[in-house]
Amino acid sequence: MMQTKMNGFGEFYCPTCQAKLGNLKCPGCKKAYGISPSGFPMLTANSTQSNLIEEISKNYDSIYQNHTNVWLDQGRTPEFLAYFANLCNETRPVRSLEVGCGEGLLLAMVACPEKSAIDISDTALSKARARSPANFILALAENIPFSDHYFDLVYSVGVMEHFLDDESASKEIWRVLKPGGRYFVLIHVRLTTIEKIKQKIRDYVFPTPRPLGFVTWLWKKVRHPIHQPIQRHYSVESAAGVLRAAGLTINRTISLKTDPLAPLIGPHVVIYECTR
């Protein structure tokens, strides 16, 4: 694994009080942070929801232990990853942060001299580390362990729906962005049951039959079903409201309605390009 200037943990900041850490110890609140089984700093703040956080973490560890290319059937195709990475790369970032990096497929495609990634799953970070050098941390978006104005670019794909506190997380992302820094965030708006059925028909039946893809999706559902702890559902307007309330400016909204040729899996996928 590539050595970075953050080895020794001197450049991380306490997620509880924002004091600069020294060897994972906080001189402010005196909290000492640990190391995960895979060797990642465990920088989660003291929380009344610690039991829930641990439960969610174990759930995602199980998902990533039992599956590879986990989110392919949710539209994380090679074409989509290249498209989203290009959005990020066009900003020419020096420091970037992926919130909820998962297996690191997108992270590996983002071109940046100093990449950082947070996730709640130790297993996910291990898989991501095998794909791309970066600063990997077990942390929550609600308490990002970096100083103010640190990143040129922050991005997240399908994560906002899982924030325990979407307002706090969005404000944290605003905090760590430099003035003028970009935030690209992808959400899935809520679908009705009929809309979900229509989406699966588009995915596997018409206009392009994909029987093997359907069998693979069905087998995953039967053998190792994925149950994600979604905290809330958004509309295009409600998600935009959370981002604006955090202080972010939405420059454009990308969907199949606005960009029909974008490689998005369906009309329920929405990307916001924001600026601090």
Side-chain angles (χ1 to χ4, degrees):
M1 182 178 65
M2 184 185 80
Q3 299 296 306
T4 75
K5 70 176 185 178
M6 288 195 179
N7 283 357
F9 316 117
E11 294 297 322
F12 294 130
Y13 283 69
C14 178
T16 300
C17 72
Q18 281 296 300
K20 186 176 180 179
L21 297 180
N23 198 28
L24 295 187
K25 295 180 180 178
C26 179
C29 64
K30 308 303 180 183
K31 180 175 174 60
Y33 295 92
I35 301 292
S36 76
S38 299
F40 303 111
M42 298 173 63
L43 301 181
T44 53
N46 293 324
S47 173
T48 56
Q49 297 179 302
S50 57
N51 290 336
L52 175 60
I53 293 168
E54 183 177 358
E55 179 183 338
I56 294 173
S57 178
K58 288 180 179 178
N59 179 68
Y60 277 104
D61 280 339
S62 176
I63 289 173
Y64 288 112
Q65 286 163 5
N66 289 300
H67 300 281
T68 56
N69 210 349
V70 177
W71 313 118
L72 179 62
D73 61 1
Q74 292 192 17
R76 308 302 189 267
T77 62
E79 294 78 14
F80 165 78
L81 294 172
Y83 174 82
F84 198 96
N86 185 62
L87 293 176
C88 294
N89 292 337
E90 285 179 346
T91 69
R92 298 186 179 181
V94 176
R95 289 175 175 164
S96 67
L97 171 68
E98 182 169 7
V99 176
C101 68
E103 299 168 282
L105 294 168
L106 177 60
L107 180 74
M109 299 176 72
V110 172
C112 183
E114 184 182 309
K115 296 194 286 189
S116 298
I118 62 174
D119 203 284
I120 200 169
S121 167
D122 187 49
T123 304
L125 291 178
S126 294
K127 290 189 172 186
R129 180 172 59 190
R131 288 188 168 93
S132 175
N135 303 304
F136 295 100
I137 315 103
L138 273 165
L140 298 171
E142 290 81 357
N143 302 97
I144 299 175
F146 288 91
S147 62
D148 297 354
H149 310 158
Y150 193 79
F151 296 102
D152 311 285
L153 169 71
V154 179
Y155 55 100
S156 68
V157 174
V159 180
M160 186 172 171
E161 300 95 314
H162 304 280
F163 291 155
L164 297 178
D165 185 332
D166 58 346
E167 293 182 359
S168 293
S170 298
K171 288 178 181 177
E172 273 290 272
I173 289 165
W174 176 89
R175 179 184 66 80
V176 300
L177 270 174
K178 292 180 179 179
R182 301 286 187 84
Y183 176 39
F184 290 94
V185 50
L186 180 148
I187 67 162
H188 301 96
V189 299
R190 188 168 193 169
L191 294 176
T192 65
T193 300
I194 295 298
E195 288 171 332
K196 290 178 181 178
I197 293 171
K198 288 181 178 179
Q199 181 61 48
K200 290 306 174 189
I201 291 173
R202 283 192 295 266
D203 290 346
Y204 301 114
V205 180
F206 182 84
T208 304
R210 295 179 55 236
L212 181 58
F214 177 75
V215 170
T216 301
W217 170 77
L218 190 62
W219 176 246
K220 184 196 300 185
K221 289 287 185 183
V222 172
R223 187 176 183 186
H224 293 296
I226 294 176
H227 300 292
Q228 291 195 76
I230 295 175
Q231 303 300 321
R232 63 194 53 80
H233 296 278
Y234 293 108
S235 66
V236 175
E237 294 77 17
S238 65
V242 173
L243 296 171
R244 291 192 179 105
L248 294 157
T249 298
I250 299 174
N251 301 319
R252 64 169 169 160
T253 302
I254 302 170
S255 66
L256 289 180
K257 184 176 181 179
T258 64
D259 295 78
L261 297 181
L264 307 178
I265 192 172
H268 61 295
V269 178
V270 182
I271 300 171
Y272 301 92
E273 178 193 344
C274 307
T275 301
R276 168 168 176 163

